Amino acid sequence: MDDDPMDSIFHEKQEGSLCAQHCLNSLLQGQYFSAVDLADIAQQLDEAERERMAEGDVTSQEYQQFLQQPSSNMDDSGYFSVQVISGALKIWGLEIMPFASRDAIGATVSPEKERCFICNYKDHWLTIRKLGQQWFNLNSLLSGPELISDTYLSMFLAQLKNEGKTLL
């Protein structure tokens, strides 16, 4: 029997617009979040936003317009915001940091020393993750994990950034 080590890597394939769910589960290497879990986090964020807005004048036109707006944390297609991803990771004691921030300067200089990257491009979330000593592109649009060498990692991240992807 030929055991392929790639088979042991958790990788969810794209289903609907649930790329945030697939991104998180690939990052965590297991089925830890469902669409319902993420929708619950989005609703908690929406409620917190409503409470903050209500601290002002609840009779103001601005507040009334805010109440009429759809959620900025999720939509009917299954897309979830970066705030939802951040909230989900906080459950695990993890936090995200924008790649371009001053706090992430080490990641831009030596990305191979990091453990993972979350990327967003045109409303699609994907994970780049180090497993053992190897880097993998765990994009749910791929048929399976894609091995990325340390050398290629820097070029790959630069390409993603140049293409307008948000890196965390």
Side-chain angles (χ1 to χ4, degrees), residues 11-15 22 139-144:
H11 176 261
E12 287 185 343
K13 293 183 182 145
Q14 187 69 23
E15 185 180 307
H22 305 314
N139 186 343
S140 59
L141 295 176
L142 298 173
S143 60

Side-chain angles (χ1 to χ4, degrees), residues 112-125:
E112 72 281 355
K113 293 182 180 177
E114 301 301 317
R115 292 180 26 204
C116 66
F117 296 93
I118 295 174
C119 309
N120 183 282
Y121 182 65
K122 296 185 178 178
D123 291 338
H124 177 71
W125 294 105

